[in-house]
Amino acid sequence: MTLRIVYVLVFSATLVYPHRATLAASWSETVCGAVTKSPLCALFNSVEKIPEDERLKQIREFYLAKLDKWASNAEPATMQDQVVSSCGMLTIVTAPADTARNFVKGEEREEFDARVDACAKLTAQRAWPQPEFAKPQTVDLVCNRWTSLLRDLCIRAKLNA
């Protein structure tokens, strides 16, 4: 289900920006070079008319908008399907290329799971207070010392002043 959504986003981006340059050889080459059979890589590399950084930005914004939409009308029954899957995609596309490659290959599973969990909890925080964020040390660690994605989600959850 998640990959279908990425395909729609990437495909529609091709239609919007058909005049752009070809794929830059950095993030996707590093991430997908060793795992070319990954569905994520196949979809990401299927669009060569949009610069890589623009594609990553569009995918990031697409999934952040999905999280925003969920937070505005949060339903616990849809959290796994909408929030966790979106957080997984965001975790991959916002990671540095080497880290993203390891995530796609199934390596660094604990780090991947921790980032996805933090993303999901920060999104849920917008609807219901999460006990983890009652501790200032946890807020500092997640919001200021981990990743830029989590820092952005902390701002959206109004945890980061």
Side-chain angles (χ1 to χ4, degrees), residues 60-126:
R60 181 183 190 277
E61 293 306 315
F62 175 78
Y63 284 105
L64 285 173
K66 283 187 69 170
L67 294 179
D68 291 343
K69 183 178 178 182
W70 184 89
S72 69
N73 191 22
E75 294 181 31
T78 62
M79 183 154 190
Q80 179 70 33
D81 204 30
Q82 295 179 14
V83 175
V84 176
S85 62
S86 294
C87 285
M89 293 302 290
L90 280 166
T91 297
I92 291 169
V93 300
T94 60
D98 290 338
T99 304
R101 180 189 61 230
N102 290 340
F103 290 162
V104 170
K105 289 171 59 178
E107 298 172 1
E108 297 186 45
R109 189 66 189 185
E110 287 182 17
E111 179 66 18
F112 176 78
D113 289 345
R115 290 182 189 192
V116 171
D117 186 51
C119 172
K121 287 181 185 283
L122 285 166
T123 302
Q125 171 73 20
R126 295 164 64 184

Side-chain angles (χ1 to χ4, degrees), residues 60 64 143 147-157 160:
R60 181 183 190 277
L64 285 173
C143 298
T147 69
S148 62
L149 170 64
L150 297 178
R151 190 172 20 259
D152 292 346
L153 291 171
C154 285
I155 292 167
R156 290 171 187 232
N160 206 6

Side-chain angles (χ1 to χ4, degrees), residues 35-54:
V35 287
T36 55
K37 294 181 181 177
S38 164
L40 171 69
C41 294
L43 292 174
F44 189 85
N45 288 330
S46 67
V47 181
E48 296 184 4
K49 296 186 185 296
I50 301 172
E52 181 177 75
D53 58 339
E54 183 65 25

